[in-house]
Amino acid sequence: QNLGIPAIYSYDASHATSTATAMDPTNLFFDIVLRTGGSQIHQAVVQNPDVVTLWIGINDIFLGVINGAVDKE
C-alpha cells in the first residue's frame, strides 16, 4: 500500500496520525492516506514489506531555503 503524503515533515512520518496531529493541519492527505491506522511508520511496519522506498526530510530543508532561515547550530 502506498502511504505517500505530499509536503510532510520528518516529524510527521512517525508522529502524525491525522490532519489534526500534523505539523501542517491544512494537509488533508493525512486523513485520506492514513485513515485511522496510526502514523506512516507504524502502518508501514504493520504491513511487513519486503522493500521500502523512503524519501523524507526535503520539506524540512526546503522551508528554510524559501524563507531564508539560518540555523545557527
Side-chain angles (χ1 to χ4, degrees):
Q1 178 182 2
N2 184 350
L3 297 171
I5 300 174
I8 73 165
Y9 297 95
S10 299
Y11 179 86
D12 289 331
S14 61
H15 292 85
T17 57
S18 68
T19 299
T21 59
M23 291 182 68
D24 178 6
T26 63
N27 189 344
L28 300 178
F29 282 101
F30 284 95
D31 293 335
I32 295 167
V33 173
L34 299 180
R35 299 179 193 105
T36 59
S39 70
Q40 274 185 313
I41 300 296
H42 172 77
Q43 290 190 36
V45 169
V46 168
Q47 290 180 28
N48 195 25
D50 293 325
V51 177
V52 174
T53 302
L54 179 66
W55 180 355
I56 191 81
I58 192 67
N59 290 319
D60 301 296
I61 297 166
F62 196 56
L63 185 62
V65 171
I66 290 174
N67 294 326
V70 176
D71 186 2
K72 297 183 182 189
E73 292 183 30

